[in-house]
Amino acid sequence: GHELRDSGIQITFRKDVSMQEICTTEKLSKVDAGKFRSAVRKDYCYSMYLDDLPIWSMVGNMTAMPQRSKPVAMLYTHRVFDIAYNGNRVYQVSVASGKPVEVKEGDAVTFTYSVNWHETDKPFEQRWDEYLDNAFFEHQIHWFSIFNSFMMVIFLCGLVFLILIRTVRNDFAKYAREEEEAEPGLGDESGWKQLHGDVFREPPHLMLFSALYGTGWQLAVLAFGVILYAALGRFHGEVYEERGEVTQSVLSIYSLTSVVAGYASGSYYRQYFNTPRREMQDSKWQQTMLFTILLFPGVIVGVVSFLNIIAMSYSTSNVLSFTVVANLFLIWIFISFPLAVIGTLFGRHWGGKNTFPCRVNTYPRDLPEATPWYAKWYFVIPATGLLPFGSIFIEMYFIFTSFWNYNKFYYVYGFMLLVYLILMVVTICTTVVAVYFVLNAENHKWQWLSFNAAGSTAVYVFAYAVYYFYFKTSMKGFLQVAFYFGYMSVFCIGLYILCGTVGVAGSMAFVRTIYMNIKVD
């Protein structure tokens, strides 16, 4: 989304330039002078690229002048480029600004530059080391947060294992004892076993749930693939060395993983139509397939289109050109769309078999009127997302800082991969516990509750994004607010779908397991 523009600065390899004019403006009007003063007063900076190496510099600064009651806006008019080279390759680039000139209405401003080349014996492979903030990303608190999250995973998994295995084993023993002691038809059942005829009933709004489930699996595979590709950068080249490589990997992997979305959505939807007659009467698998294909891209198109209109009104470099939009549409229509269709067909015929261990009753069971407080949705949903957020919020700080700070390059993708895996494990564990409490309270509507409970992690992340915006950034103005919260909204919606899907998958495996080992009449 950053369209590069030619700076007009002519630089020839190993050729010094003492002083060269770039351009001379016309006499500044009142409006133009006001724009320059505003840019200087608001600490505007600009970024440039030379041989894919980024350069940053300030537009000007506010300077206190004698006999002036207020600081004066001084505009830098000269740039000195200092370039180091090794052999026939550029190693390092820096720029220094000078010759400040007061911004005055009616004056013309001349911009100049000079270039200094010098040789270095530092190897070309290390030229990005100057841009990597090791003290920030490899700070002791970063290592401590990873260790803390890892220990929390071990503790939580052990706790879930001990509680659930012991509790479920006691439940099995109780049900077996009741079956032996009670007379036929007079058993006094209570708890999750009583839901065997309803627990595998299709969730409300099955089409939407299937689309979310398929999209979530696609996003889960996408996130894992991109992070793994970046973590293996030493074998194919670090992703920060080439501008836009992360974006290209996201687009490529997203297009290819559309087959995962189609397969997961098609197989999940198909399992609730176990007879040809019912499928012929009630199935809407074609609409579900289209819903899956359009769901998340529709969210992205809506938000990006809104931001693009704002960027156009401000004439910023963030505007997506027609060529970029056309290329993205062609990738989606010729790669992503067909792969999703193929995945849906395979999912329906290969993975859509009904393997529920219990038969679903014809009429649904009424929900109990009295439910324990710990099994109510307004406690289960926010409580489930708290621990997964606690395992990642430190990493969120580093990710947000590298994304919204112009001079921070995120490079510790090994940390990110470990945190991602920790998030998946913690989400599954907490959601399984939540589903067990809900089922034990004789509430068979667990699918949507587990999805929203696991996805509530994204709500905490968005709340942290709001905190980060107000206390960790200096952004202001409608343009910056719109772009920040627009991108954060897309990120959190994707995280909600991803975590919700992982939570449902783990809960589904747990529910199948416990109901597979009970005896029902």
Side-chain angles (χ1 to χ4, degrees), residues 50-51 53 55 81-86 89-94 116-118 120 122 124 127 130-131:
L50 193 152
D51 195 38
L53 293 176
I55 315 169
F81 294 91
D82 189 75
I83 308 174
Y85 67 93
N86 185 339
R89 289 182 165 184
V90 174
Y91 175 78
Q92 187 180 17
V93 182
S94 62
N116 300 319
W117 290 85
H118 61 88
T120 180
K122 296 181 179 180
F124 177 80
R127 69 173 187 163
E130 303 291 335
Y131 294 89

Side-chain angles (χ1 to χ4, degrees), residues 361-412:
N361 294 337
T362 304
Y363 300 102
R365 174 188 177 89
D366 293 333
L367 298 179
E369 296 181 359
T371 304
W373 61 269
Y374 55 81
K376 294 184 181 293
W377 68 267
Y378 52 77
F379 174 79
V380 171
I381 291 178
T384 304
L386 192 58
L387 281 177
F389 171 73
S391 67
I392 66 170
F393 84 96
I394 294 295
E395 196 65 25
M396 286 292 101
Y397 170 75
F398 291 99
I399 294 175
F400 285 4
T401 301
S402 62
F403 189 83
W404 294 110
N405 196 314
Y406 66 90
N407 62 352
K408 298 287 186 184
F409 290 88
Y410 191 94
Y411 66 94
V412 284

Side-chain angles (χ1 to χ4, degrees), residues 15 70 105 118 142 145 150 154 186 191 193 214 238 241 316 357 408 421 430 448 458 460 505:
K15 182 179 180 180
K70 296 181 180 180
E105 180 183 347
H118 61 88
H142 203 171
S145 68
F150 184 72
I154 296 177
L186 298 179
K193 182 185 177 182
E238 299 292 351
E241 294 180 351
T316 71
K408 298 287 186 184
L421 296 177
T430 53
W448 275 109
Y460 290 105

Side-chain angles (χ1 to χ4, degrees), residues 114-390:
S114 58
V115 181
N116 300 319
W117 290 85
H118 61 88
E119 190 172 9
T120 180
D121 57 356
K122 296 181 179 180
F124 177 80
E125 292 75 15
Q126 298 178 3
R127 69 173 187 163
W128 276 92
D129 292 352
E130 303 291 335
Y131 294 89
L132 304 182
D133 194 346
N134 297 325
F136 177 77
F137 286 104
E138 299 184 29
H139 193 274
Q140 184 178 0
I141 193 172
H142 203 171
W143 287 98
F144 177 76
S145 68
I146 297 294
F147 177 77
N148 183 53
S149 299
F150 184 72
M151 294 304 297
M152 185 174 68
V153 166
I154 296 177
F155 171 76
L156 186 60
C157 290
L159 184 63
V160 169
F161 179 80
L162 290 176
I163 293 177
L164 291 187
I165 295 301
R166 183 176 180 180
T167 304
V168 172
R169 183 180 297 174
N170 291 337
D171 290 342
F172 283 137
K174 183 184 73 171
Y175 294 147
R177 187 167 55 251
E178 290 177 354
E179 289 177 356
E180 294 176 357
E181 297 176 356
E183 297 181 9
L186 298 179
D188 184 21
E189 295 183 1
S190 62
W192 54 266
K193 182 185 177 182
Q194 200 167 359
L195 304 178
H196 62 82
D198 296 277
V199 72
F200 296 107
R201 190 178 301 279
E202 66 183 63
H205 311 291
L206 178 60
M207 184 185 301
L208 174 61
F209 194 89
S210 301
L212 289 170
Y213 188 74
T215 303
W217 273 118
Q218 180 184 12
L219 294 178
V221 176
L222 167 67
F224 179 77
V226 172
I227 297 173
L228 181 63
Y229 174 78
L232 298 177
R234 64 177 59 185
F235 300 104
H236 57 76
E238 299 292 351
V239 293
Y240 52 77
E241 294 180 351
E242 184 176 348
R243 195 176 66 91
E245 186 172 354
V246 173
T247 303
Q248 293 175 4
S249 63
V250 170
L251 292 176
S252 301
I253 298 177
Y254 180 84
S255 300
L256 296 176
T257 53
S258 296
V259 67
V260 176
Y263 185 90
S265 175
S267 60
Y268 186 86
Y269 187 84
R270 175 65 177 81
Q271 67 182 338
Y272 291 101
F273 299 89
N274 53 358
T275 62
R277 181 179 179 181
R278 182 163 187 262
E279 183 176 15
M280 185 178 298
Q281 291 176 346
D282 303 329
S283 178
K284 298 179 181 179
W285 69 271
Q286 296 94 336
Q287 294 92 319
T288 304
M289 178 184 68
L290 291 176
F291 201 4
T292 304
I293 296 173
L294 297 173
L295 180 62
F296 196 62
V299 173
I300 296 177
V301 169
V303 174
V304 172
S305 298
F306 174 72
L307 297 180
N308 212 40
I309 294 174
I310 297 175
M312 291 174 63
S313 65
Y314 280 85
S315 300
T316 71
S317 61
N318 295 78
V319 177
L320 291 177
S321 64
F322 175 78
T323 303
V324 173
V325 174
N327 290 336
L328 292 176
F329 177 76
L330 291 176
I331 292 173
W332 180 78
I333 199 68
F334 288 110
I335 300 178
S336 183
F337 192 98
L339 287 177
V341 173
I342 294 172
T344 301
L345 296 177
F346 278 110
R348 282 176 49 78
H349 295 288
W350 286 3
K353 298 179 181 179
N354 186 334
T355 58
F356 298 140
C358 300
R359 186 180 61 191
V360 178
N361 294 337
T362 304
Y363 300 102
R365 174 188 177 89
D366 293 333
L367 298 179
E369 296 181 359
T371 304
W373 61 269
Y374 55 81
K376 294 184 181 293
W377 68 267
Y378 52 77
F379 174 79
V380 171
I381 291 178
T384 304
L386 192 58
L387 281 177
F389 171 73

